[in-house]
Amino acid sequence: MDVHRLARIAATLFGELGTAGALTVRELPDGLGICVWPAGTRGGGSILVGCDESVLFVGSAIGFDADLAAFRQGRRTPAERFRGEPDKATAHKPVE
């Protein structure tokens, strides 16, 4: 597992969210990937990045064990959510 590559993905996504600065990286069990959050910051959230580069953004109120369980179950955050674009599942269709 290339932790540095996965951490760069998380850093880019945090940048899209307007969060800059140092990040803390924790490897997930069983080689699933990494969990990344802003260093020295309470609240906000963290991003789990899988070895396949899929990601899950989770709020800080949930807790690591619940985050990890959701990640293991295949829950992911669409990339467009980080850019502030509506994803296809929640986008509204134009009114005709």
Side-chain angles (χ1 to χ4, degrees):
M1 172 173 47
D2 186 347
V3 173
H4 295 292
R5 177 179 55 86
L6 300 178
R8 283 192 304 272
I9 292 167
T12 298
L13 296 173
F14 273 117
E16 294 281 342
L17 296 172
T19 303
L23 298 172
T24 301
V25 178
R26 173 183 180 180
E27 287 189 42
L28 298 176
D30 305 326
L32 292 173
I34 62 172
C35 179
V36 182
W37 63 93
T41 303
R42 294 185 53 91
S46 55
I47 297 175
L48 285 76
V49 183
C51 292
D52 63 355
E53 299 185 9
S54 64
V55 299
L56 174 64
F57 177 84
V58 289
S60 61
I62 304 298
F64 180 75
D65 291 332
D67 300 341
L68 182 57
F71 194 74
R72 280 189 168 141
Q73 292 168 0
R75 188 167 158 214
R76 299 295 187 266
T77 304
E80 45 277 342
R81 289 279 178 101
F82 292 96
R83 293 187 296 269
E85 301 171 12
D87 64 82
K88 294 176 183 126
T90 60
H92 296 288
K93 293 182 180 180
V95 178
E96 295 181 22

